[in-house]
Amino acid sequence: MLVLLVEDDPAIAGALCDGLPRYGFEVRHVTTGAEALASHPAAEVVLLDLGLPDADGIDICRKIRAVSDVPLIIITARSDEIERVVGLEIGADDYVSKPFGLRELVARIRAVTRRTAVRDQVVAAAPVDAQQVGAMTLDRAARRVFVSGAEVSLTPREFDLLALLASRPGAVHTREQLIEEVWDSNWFGSTRTLDVHVGSLRKKLAGAVDVQTVRGVGFRLEQHAG
């Protein structure tokens, strides 16, 4: 498996370039955002540092996610939770905070690639017909969402969450079920990312469907009552 490591700290990059191959990974190391944008199409996993010399890692994450569903893990020394949440909201699959252990990183790589493989299998098996919920049309095969005929741009994780909620409109999906099926049962991060993604869906789908909170339990998708 080819891992693209985007990291300008030579000590961290050297340790990962030496350590990851021991777990069966091939590593390509670049140090700038420009190199990351040029190299990511060949990668099977991207490890992206937020502090790059030529660009903000958040912007690089957004640009990669706009054209690719490659599994992407943010590596950051930043302690600001908001920035980590923003990274997850725009499509990163996970994050690790420096300093971190090699085995922890390997576990996260394996978790995100496992989730991606399951997601791709579901998409391949999905029926061609689109699902209609209120003014929203959900096309699982094409991974596209429309509201009143206009396409709505969702991140891969937002789409997965919406597709799960829409699989049984009106039914309550527990927080634990959503985390396990959308983020994987071995999710290491904060469950606050679920609330962030729900909030983003509410904004993007406002007036078409409602993602309702069932206090102490989870969420359900309803046709917009207005």
Side-chain angles (χ1 to χ4, degrees), residues 59-136:
D59 291 333
I60 300 302
C61 176
R62 182 182 292 108
K63 290 176 180 179
I64 290 176
R65 190 52 80 224
V67 297
S68 172
D69 286 345
V70 63
L72 191 152
I73 299 174
I74 285 175
I75 299 174
T76 179
R78 301 176 184 178
S79 59
D80 190 345
E81 181 185 11
I82 295 300
E83 289 197 334
R84 296 197 298 269
V85 170
V86 168
L88 293 169
E89 186 174 7
I90 65 174
D93 294 283
D94 199 355
Y95 69 85
V96 290
S97 298
K98 301 175 184 177
F100 53 85
L102 179 61
R103 283 185 291 182
E104 176 193 3
L105 180 61
V106 168
R108 291 176 183 271
I109 292 173
R110 289 174 175 167
V112 299
T113 53
R114 183 168 58 248
R115 292 196 297 268
T116 302
V118 170
R119 181 185 68 200
D120 291 345
Q121 291 172 4
V122 170
V123 171
V128 175
D129 293 341
Q131 178 185 4
Q132 191 78 31
V133 181
M136 181 193 75

Side-chain angles (χ1 to χ4, degrees), residues 2 14 109 121 127 140 153 165 190 221:
L2 177 59
I109 292 173
Q121 291 172 4
R140 287 182 171 81
S153 177
L165 290 168
S190 168
L221 186 73

